[in-house]
Amino acid sequence: MRLLVVNVNTTASMTKSIGEQAASVAAPGTEIVPLTPDFGPESCEGNYESYLAAIAVMEKVRAHPEPFDAVIQAGYGEHGREGLQELLDVPVVDITEAAASTAQFLGHKYSVVTTLDRAVPLIEDRLKLAGLTDRLASVRASGLGVLDLESDPDAAVAAIVEQAAAAVEQDRAEVVCLGCGGMAGLTEQVVERTGVPVVDGVAAAVTIAESLVRLGLKTSKVRTYAPPRPKHVKAWPPAN
């Protein structure tokens, strides 16, 4: 089984850490292929960057030369999953939805801890669109940018743990989801501080994708995710 795990930004070191997290939970026989888009922002922290990243991710996957069994979109609250589902027959799993759906097996209410406050509405919208807000206690921001997760990891961990604890103590969350692909590997610190289950979106997405492939399930093409209609698209792809 081969899973493409696509980072939504162009920071190669973040792709590497996402790929390592995915490989650490993959079953024997599952090959993890981490991908970095060829263009786009170094981090996604708003709607413009998210839409730009969505195009970059779709183009990177569409051009991948080898066969694959499923795709994981490794961006929290990002756009583009629906477009990938139109382009592909294989399952497409978004880490936002994977984490939230997994959390609902583990407790009554869950919270998401993300990066900047401006990312909160994007995550709330993605969860609402997926029908996953009924048991959402809160989406909390750590106040740090995506790239701060690498440039100042100690401060990032402290801020994430603080907000996770507040989600449990103040918002009554019983499960915490790490709301950024770049937070891979922080689970243990948050569990130690909060005492609740902590769901990493990349890890959850890998196990869900593997299950869908083993069940022989594919994306429905009857209506919503039917392939794009053949037509001329002016000046695309853009000339180098």
Side-chain angles (χ1 to χ4, degrees), residues 12-239:
S13 58
M14 197 162 289
T15 303
K16 182 175 183 291
S17 66
I18 289 169
E20 290 172 348
Q21 176 70 357
S24 72
V25 299
T30 296
E31 178 187 0
I32 299 295
V33 181
L35 297 179
T36 304
D38 294 325
F39 61 91
E42 61 181 348
S43 64
C44 292
E45 293 166 326
N47 282 286
Y48 172 75
E49 293 166 350
S50 180
Y51 280 114
L52 183 60
I55 297 170
V57 167
M58 286 187 283
E59 289 302 295
K60 186 69 176 181
V61 171
R62 194 168 64 88
H64 191 71
E66 299 175 335
F68 49 89
D69 299 291
V71 174
I72 293 168
Q73 179 175 293
Y76 220 94
E78 306 302 334
H79 301 92
R81 186 260 296 162
E82 296 87 349
L84 283 170
Q85 286 182 293
E86 287 189 6
L87 292 173
L88 305 172
D89 292 330
V90 301
V92 177
V93 182
D94 170 71
I95 66 170
T96 319
E97 299 166 6
S101 58
T102 300
Q104 293 185 90
F105 288 105
L106 305 174
H108 180 62
K109 291 276 189 178
Y110 72 95
S111 285
V112 177
V113 178
T114 189
T115 51
L116 298 177
D117 182 66
R118 65 177 297 162
V120 170
L122 277 73
I123 293 171
E124 290 176 338
D125 286 350
R126 172 54 62 183
L127 293 171
K128 184 176 182 179
L129 184 64
L132 292 166
T133 53
D134 284 351
R135 290 163 62 184
L136 174 65
S138 61
V139 181
R140 285 180 165 266
S142 65
L144 296 172
V146 172
L147 299 181
D148 293 331
L149 297 170
E150 292 189 338
S151 64
D152 194 352
D154 291 339
V157 170
I160 292 162
V161 169
E162 179 183 357
Q163 290 303 315
V168 174
E169 295 162 6
Q170 299 175 26
D171 306 331
R172 313 303 293 171
E174 298 175 10
V175 184
V176 171
C177 296
L178 298 178
C180 176
M183 291 180 182
L186 301 184
T187 303
E188 290 184 8
Q189 293 98 315
V190 181
V191 170
E192 183 178 348
R193 172 64 177 83
T194 63
V196 303
V198 176
V199 182
D200 172 79
V202 173
V206 168
T207 56
I208 290 171
E210 288 178 325
S211 297
L212 293 173
V213 173
R214 290 195 182 96
L215 289 169
L217 298 173
K218 296 183 180 294
T219 298
S220 174
K221 294 296 172 180
V222 171
R223 189 182 186 191
T224 306
Y225 304 124
R229 297 182 64 192
K231 64 184 70 173
H232 174 67
V233 180
K234 185 177 180 179
W236 189 263

